[in-house]
Amino acid sequence: MKSSTKLIPLLFSVALVGCSATTTIDEYRPTGEAIELDANERVVVLGRRDAGHYETDREFIGCIGDKMRSADIQVLPEQEFIDAIYPWFEPRTAPKGLPRLKRLMQDASVKTQVDKRNVRYLVWLDGSTETLDSGGSISCAIGPGGGGCFGFAQWDKVSVYEAIVWDLNELTEKGRLRVDSEGTSYLIGAVAPIPFLTPVKSDACSSMGNQLKNFFSVTQ
Amino acid sequence: MLTIKMKTFAAIISLVILSGCSSSASVQLTNEFPQVLAKPKALSAAVVFEPSFATYVAKPNAKTVIDIGAAQVRLLRNAFAGLFSTLEFVASREEITADNAMVIIPSVREVQVSTPSDNYLNVFEVWIKYNLDLETAEGESIDSWFMPAYGKTPDAFMASKSAAIEEAAIIALRDAGAKLMLDFYRIPAVNNWAAEEQKRARQQQNSIQQAQNAEVSP
């Protein structure tokens, strides 16, 4: 009886340790001061989509946008910005560096659209979440008498994202952030499949979103 | 009674699962495209959307059908509006009324699709290979321009193949618009034609002005 009471908390703690992601954030800013943002100025978060083998997914960009909104930062939806300046922020045409951005902003029609939407800062997000290793096996069967799953499976996930903040007025880079998050998820088949999922991408979003919030200071 | 209900329920669940796992995709693009942000040149063009182009249905493989005809017409209408100040859209060459216009006849050479099971990546990809036959109003060939467009979209857990291919096809069409805006006037033959046309228009304007001046002066 005593051993079973010890076993249950032990199993829970093993499960909980297994479900936590390890996240590292690297930050670079030319100055330690927060970026001043007027109450009417807006930020747009854009995903890089020019890499061949992955895409910075819209779900992650939406998550970062929501985190920033929670700090009273006005965030313009990504698609609205891209459509307003079509075709100059498509994967083929989007500026990859500041020299190209400067040339683009010299175009009066582009500048007008940016100013019309009060977009002051642009945050480029680049990265993806990938499954690295997976092991074990789980099999499920169903028959007239019932069904169930038996076995054990595990997989490692890693999220690597980089954010670069550009000032669209001064046409300068205001800082960079990189987040690395990794963790292992498990699926135990004991009649019913019991998942222990590590929220790797969600952790990466929370960490990057919170850090980006600290980049900006909204003045009323 | 309960057994029958359970069997019906199991059959419905199996059908739902099987349809979710279906590897075929039939897609019709119905979306709108944004207006291009560009200042058109003071030139005129007539774009011929032949019925085979306007109703084009791509069958890149036995299990995939993409109806892109109407969407590509909408996209090109927008894109050419950013390149030429005067435009005419017709269904055949015989319907062209504009003088000195560049005649543009787009056609689709090929559409290719790649899924995660083909490329071992977590992306769906669509390539649309266009050909633009560019001619003078008199029917002389200016150039025949090959214009490939590409779109990809990430694979998402439980998302349908049709939705992913639709998204990738829309991105490929938007890419076609971007490619057109970026490279059209960089085609040497088009650049030469545009320079010639602008020169001819200037000369015509000068001669009109000279004629007006001659009429005014005693």
Side-chain angles (χ1 to χ4, degrees), chain A residues 49-58 79 82-88 90-93 100 107 109-110 113 129-131, chain B residues 33-39 75 121-123 125 148-150 152-154 167 171 173-179 181-183:
Chain A
R49 300 198 173 89
D50 54 316
H53 62 290
Y54 69 88
E55 278 230 332
T56 311
D57 61 294
R58 291 175 199 277
Q79 199 58 48
I82 293 173
D83 283 352
I85 307 186
Y86 180 75
W88 307 117
E90 295 297 300
R92 182 190 289 273
T93 51
R100 176 79 187 110
D107 186 322
S109 57
V110 173
Q113 288 297 324
T129 300
E130 286 175 20
T131 303
Chain B
F33 295 96
Q35 295 294 319
V36 292
L37 192 62
K39 199 179 169 197
L75 182 275
L121 299 171
N122 293 328
V123 289
E125 297 170 294
Y150 170 74
K152 71 174 190 302
T153 189
E167 183 69 25
I171 294 166
L173 282 175
R174 290 178 66 117
D175 185 52
K179 168 91 179 156
M181 298 305 298
L182 206 63
D183 289 342

Side-chain angles (χ1 to χ4, degrees), chain A residues 84-161:
Chain A
I85 307 186
Y86 180 75
W88 307 117
F89 274 81
E90 295 297 300
R92 182 190 289 273
T93 51
K96 293 191 176 65
L98 287 170
R100 176 79 187 110
L101 177 77
K102 283 173 188 170
R103 266 201 292 157
L104 192 63
M105 293 298 284
Q106 279 167 4
D107 186 322
S109 57
V110 173
K111 181 95 174 76
T112 306
Q113 288 297 324
V114 170
D115 291 345
K116 200 172 145 188
R117 284 164 179 78
N118 296 322
V119 179
R120 175 70 198 269
Y121 296 101
L122 195 156
V123 180
W124 276 117
L125 282 183
D126 190 7
S128 65
T129 300
E130 286 175 20
T131 303
L132 290 183
D133 288 319
S134 56
S137 74
I138 192 159
S139 57
C140 298
I142 189 161
C149 296
F150 296 95
F152 172 79
Q154 69 167 75
W155 61 94
D156 294 334
K157 274 198 167 188
V158 62
S159 286
V160 180
Y161 290 92

Side-chain angles (χ1 to χ4, degrees), chain B residues 188-209:
Chain B
V190 173
N191 194 30
N192 290 344
W193 175 86
E196 285 290 317
E197 271 304 301
Q198 283 170 333
K199 194 174 149 189
R200 191 194 55 76
R202 269 198 305 273
Q203 281 172 348
Q204 201 174 17
Q205 206 169 6
N206 285 347
S207 57
I208 291 167
Q209 212 159 19

Side-chain angles (χ1 to χ4, degrees), chain A residues 3-210:
Chain A
S3 62
S4 70
T5 49
K6 280 181 186 171
L7 188 68
I8 291 165
L10 187 72
L11 275 175
F12 265 106
S13 61
V14 166
L16 285 173
V17 167
C19 293
S20 68
T22 310
T23 304
T24 316
I25 301 173
D26 291 320
E27 183 184 303
Y28 162 75
R29 274 198 268 181
T31 64
E33 290 169 22
I35 301 166
E36 293 281 325
L37 197 65
D38 285 350
N40 62 340
E41 287 177 331
R42 297 209 271 185
V43 175
V44 63
V45 184
L46 300 179
R48 285 277 185 205
R49 300 198 173 89
D50 54 316
H53 62 290
Y54 69 88
E55 278 230 332
T56 311
D57 61 294
R58 291 175 199 277
E59 188 193 338
F60 190 82
I61 289 155
C63 176
I64 294 288
D66 290 343
K67 292 276 171 206
M68 294 176 78
R69 277 188 200 98
S70 69
D72 292 334
I73 297 167
Q74 288 196 62
V75 181
L76 184 73
E78 181 189 31
Q79 199 58 48
E80 191 183 325
F81 181 79
I82 293 173
D83 283 352
I85 307 186
Y86 180 75
W88 307 117
F89 274 81
E90 295 297 300
R92 182 190 289 273
T93 51
K96 293 191 176 65
L98 287 170
R100 176 79 187 110
L101 177 77
K102 283 173 188 170
R103 266 201 292 157
L104 192 63
M105 293 298 284
Q106 279 167 4
D107 186 322
S109 57
V110 173
K111 181 95 174 76
T112 306
Q113 288 297 324
V114 170
D115 291 345
K116 200 172 145 188
R117 284 164 179 78
N118 296 322
V119 179
R120 175 70 198 269
Y121 296 101
L122 195 156
V123 180
W124 276 117
L125 282 183
D126 190 7
S128 65
T129 300
E130 286 175 20
T131 303
L132 290 183
D133 288 319
S134 56
S137 74
I138 192 159
S139 57
C140 298
I142 189 161
C149 296
F150 296 95
F152 172 79
Q154 69 167 75
W155 61 94
D156 294 334
K157 274 198 167 188
V158 62
S159 286
V160 180
Y161 290 92
E162 187 182 41
I164 302 173
V165 182
W166 285 354
D167 184 335
L168 293 181
N169 268 18
E170 295 173 12
L171 302 175
T172 53
E173 185 179 311
K174 289 290 180 185
R176 280 171 187 251
L177 265 176
R178 185 191 155 97
V179 61
D180 290 76
S181 183
E182 58 180 296
T184 308
S185 297
Y186 304 95
L187 185 65
I188 299 164
V191 183
I194 306 161
F196 294 99
L197 302 176
T198 306
V200 174
K201 194 156 86 173
S202 169
D203 253 37
C205 168
S206 299
S207 307
M208 183 169 267
N210 290 334

Side-chain angles (χ1 to χ4, degrees), chain B residues 31-110:
Chain B
N31 64 303
E32 291 296 326
F33 295 96
Q35 295 294 319
V36 292
L37 192 62
K39 199 179 169 197
K41 289 196 179 195
L43 294 166
S44 61
V47 187
V48 183
F49 291 127
E50 289 173 343
S52 60
F53 182 81
T55 59
Y56 187 83
V57 178
K59 287 172 188 156
N61 57 49
K63 292 173 179 171
T64 312
V65 176
I66 315 171
D67 183 346
I68 57 170
Q72 66 191 4
V73 168
R74 286 196 296 275
L75 182 275
L76 291 182
R77 275 175 173 266
N78 278 354
F80 281 117
L83 292 171
F84 295 92
S85 60
T86 311
L87 271 170
E88 187 179 20
F89 298 104
V90 292
S92 72
R93 215 182 185 294
E94 291 69 42
E95 293 173 28
I96 298 169
T97 57
D99 293 327
N100 308 312
M102 177 188 271
V103 178
I104 302 165
I105 310 163
S107 59
V108 182
R109 270 197 197 180
E110 195 184 4

